[in-house]
């Protein structure tokens, strides 16, 4: 999937959740995004605060050593596509809980 750099995006909602030793989903007790918000999202912008974490979006569950690494305090990372966004799960990397902020966005067409 190519990255759609020529798209404009509109924010749907931003949520922050504590990430600990159990994988956190975007729905329910985790981040609390609704099914409708997730259904319209085409891009998720993610950043990590206070400690590092791992995430997966392939349907697998991340562990403290498996998944994409997201560094505390670094530039936000981006995941594109409904299926990938709906499959996102996060877990902390080390012994310290962290918080992850996610902004869901929807594409608005070309620039």
């Amino acid at each position: 999937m190519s990255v759609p750099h020529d798209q404009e995006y509109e924010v749907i909602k931003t949520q922050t959740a504590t990430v600990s030793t159990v994988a956190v989903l975007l729905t329910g007790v985790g981040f609390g995004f609704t099914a409708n918000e997730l259904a319209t999202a085409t891009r998720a912008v993610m950043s990590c605060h206070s400690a590092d974490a791992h995430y997966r979006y392939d349907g697998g569950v991340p562990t403290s050593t498996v998944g994409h690494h997201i560094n505390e305090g670094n530039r936000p990372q981006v995941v594109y596509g409904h299926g990938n966004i709906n499959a996102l799960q996060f877990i902390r990397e080390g012994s310290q809980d962290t918080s992850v902020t996610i902004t869901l966005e929807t594409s608005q067409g070309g620039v």
Side-chain angles (χ1 to χ4, degrees):
M1 177 173 164
S2 64
V3 178
H5 293 290
D6 62 342
Q7 297 286 309
E8 291 182 0
Y9 292 89
E10 181 178 312
V11 172
I12 298 169
K13 189 176 193 178
T14 300
Q15 295 282 83
T16 300
T18 299
V19 174
S20 190
T21 59
V22 176
V24 178
L25 305 170
L26 298 193
T27 57
V29 177
F31 289 88
F33 290 110
T34 66
N36 186 53
E37 291 164 343
L38 290 169
T40 57
T42 55
R43 181 167 89 164
V45 181
M46 312 168 300
S47 58
C48 196
H49 317 281
S50 71
D52 295 353
H54 282 106
Y55 68 94
R56 289 182 68 170
Y57 57 89
D58 63 351
V61 178
T63 70
S64 61
T65 58
V66 175
H68 294 282
H69 186 241
I70 184 168
N71 293 319
E72 174 264 326
N74 279 5
R75 292 171 38 180
Q77 295 186 18
V78 179
V79 170
Y80 294 91
H82 296 296
N84 294 335
I85 293 167
N86 281 279
L88 275 168
Q89 295 184 56
F90 297 83
I91 198 162
R92 74 180 191 198
E93 179 178 272
S95 59
Q96 180 181 342
D97 287 357
T98 188
S99 60
V100 174
T101 299
I102 299 177
T103 299
L104 294 182
E105 301 175 337
T106 187
S107 58
Q108 298 297 305
V111 206

